[in-house]
Amino acid sequence: MDTILDMNLPEYLQKSVLHEYFTDQLAVVDIDNPQAGPEEKEERVPMRLKASVLFLVLSGEMDIDVNYQQHNIQKNTAMHLIANDIILDISYSPGFKGYLVIFSPEIRSEIMGLTVGIRLPRAGQLKRAYPIQEFSEQEFLRVIGYIERIKSYISDETHLYRSPMIRNEIMNLLWDIDNSRWKKHGNAEPNLTHSELLREQFRELLVEKCRHHRDVGYYAQLLCVTPDYLSRVIREHDGGSAMKWIINAVVMEAKCLMRQPGKTINEIAQEMNFPDQSTFGKFFKKHTGVSPKEYQRGLR
């Protein structure tokens, strides 16, 4: 099960009441009334996803920080995350219930191959533009039905066609979510202002490039704006600077790397494009209050 468990899922998933695994390809988790509510939100270690993830909310609501952006997910909604997305914080309201479905990269690639030529032409683009999907009552009941059938086939190890039945239900689940998203957004382009679009593009660049680039000018050049303009747009959004976003992204990346077993501080410094371990250590301690070694010790 290394493909799934290598996601470094935080403790709130370990407390869930039910895990259903299908070899190393798929996991379905019932999240039932987690202990930590929004008022008890605590700092969590960021994790970079190594699989596709689908959150579905049955009751209550949850707040989740993905790729440096806060989202709120309420009843009868789903949020689809993909490999390389970064999660920082998650908190739940009292009485929260939901599902977490985890797809390994292998099963996702297999399903993408099986559905090529069938999928809606802008399905992937819409998924990135609208990661949160609100369903009608009828749509949501159908989505929940797919998940329950997936769980049923996972537990029935004697079924002669268990594997293809599970894959068929996964495809049906994803198609129905795509269909619901298309009905709501398919005929319109994402309605973003220039500033909102610039922030989204900056955030996407940070996810991709912050391991190697820590200069506002670099990102401004890629976005075809001046560094001052980029900083002004970011500051108007949340009161922080573009450099603050970059520093936060670099720190998160470093923390993600430090969770990998056997990874040395020197190796991390090289991967993060610092000239040496000492420079990386000073940067990390300046912005976190602890040295990289102290941080790693706290993970054990």
Side-chain angles (χ1 to χ4, degrees):
M1 301 178 190
D2 290 342
T3 303
I4 293 173
L5 299 182
D6 196 32
M7 288 176 59
N8 297 322
L9 290 175
E11 293 73 17
Y12 71 94
L13 288 180
Q14 297 175 8
K15 298 177 182 177
S16 60
V17 298
L18 178 64
H19 295 70
E20 297 283 355
Y21 290 103
F22 174 59
T23 64
D24 63 349
Q25 302 297 300
L26 176 71
V28 180
V29 181
D30 285 359
I31 309 176
D32 191 351
N33 197 23
Q35 297 300 311
E39 68 278 1
E40 299 170 359
K41 182 175 178 180
E42 60 185 57
E43 182 182 0
R44 299 181 187 273
V45 177
M47 58 182 176
R48 179 182 288 279
L49 299 179
K50 296 184 179 179
S52 297
V53 169
L54 185 66
F55 282 104
L56 292 104
V57 180
L58 301 176
S59 64
E61 58 186 270
M62 63 181 285
D63 292 317
I64 180 170
D65 189 313
V66 180
N67 295 336
Y68 326 120
Q69 185 174 15
Q70 188 76 19
H71 299 277
N72 178 265
I73 315 175
Q74 301 182 4
K75 181 181 177 181
N76 286 16
T77 61
M79 185 173 192
H80 200 155
L81 309 180
I82 64 174
N84 292 323
D85 281 344
I86 295 177
I87 296 177
L88 178 58
D89 291 317
I90 299 180
S91 61
Y92 304 95
S93 68
F96 177 90
K97 291 185 179 181
Y99 286 116
L100 173 67
V101 186
I102 310 171
F103 309 94
S104 74
E106 290 79 12
I107 200 168
R108 181 180 181 275
S109 297
E110 180 181 342
I111 290 174
M112 293 289 285
L114 291 172
T115 59
V116 65
I118 304 175
R119 294 190 307 275
L120 299 169
R122 293 174 55 226
Q125 178 185 349
L126 289 175
K127 186 184 301 180
R128 293 302 293 175
Y130 305 100
I132 298 176
Q133 178 59 34
E134 183 177 358
F135 302 98
S136 67
E137 192 68 31
Q138 180 183 15
E139 289 173 332
F140 198 67
L141 288 174
R142 203 160 51 216
V143 166
I144 296 304
Y146 295 132
I147 294 177
E148 288 297 331
R149 286 193 293 276
I150 289 170
K151 290 170 59 179
S152 175
Y153 288 124
I154 289 175
S155 62
D156 187 1
E157 298 183 7
T158 64
H159 198 297
L160 294 176
Y161 302 103
R162 177 173 175 250
S163 180
M165 295 296 284
I166 290 173
R167 283 167 169 77
N168 284 340
E169 293 296 345
I170 293 172
M171 285 190 285
N172 291 336
L173 168 66
L174 298 179
W175 277 338
D176 238 334
I177 294 175
D178 278 353
N179 176 69
S180 177
R181 187 183 294 111
W182 183 272
K183 286 195 298 184
K184 196 166 188 176
H185 305 292
N187 294 324
E189 293 295 328
N191 187 23
L192 299 177
T193 66
H194 174 71
S195 295
E196 290 170 336
L197 180 61
L198 185 65
R199 290 197 299 269
E200 289 301 313
Q201 291 173 332
F202 180 42
R203 185 178 290 110
E204 290 179 2
L205 285 173
L206 283 177
V207 173
E208 179 183 354
K209 300 188 178 287
C210 70
R211 287 194 185 190
H212 299 98
H213 299 281
R214 298 183 291 278
D215 178 68
V216 175
Y218 171 82
Y219 295 96
Q221 183 177 10
L222 291 180
L223 294 167
C224 300
V225 297
T226 67
D228 287 344
Y229 181 76
L230 177 60
S231 292
R232 185 167 70 251
V233 168
I234 299 303
R235 194 178 300 279
E236 289 171 354
H237 173 62
D238 67 356
S241 65
M243 179 55 71
K244 179 181 176 182
W245 279 33
I246 294 171
I247 290 171
N248 288 342
V250 173
V251 169
M252 285 189 192
E253 285 288 340
K255 288 181 176 180
C256 288
L257 289 174
M258 280 186 240
R259 288 186 64 88
Q260 297 182 14
K263 190 76 87 171
T264 68
I265 302 301
N266 187 55
E267 289 172 338
I268 293 170
Q270 292 179 9
E271 290 189 39
M272 298 295 297
N273 199 31
F274 282 86
D276 50 54
Q277 180 176 331
S278 175
T279 304
F280 168 68
K282 291 176 182 177
F283 173 91
F284 190 85
K285 186 166 186 177
K286 177 181 178 181
H287 298 292
T288 67
V290 297
S291 69
K293 288 185 178 179
E294 290 172 329
Y295 182 83
Q296 274 193 325
R297 282 198 297 268
L299 296 175
R300 296 169 187 166

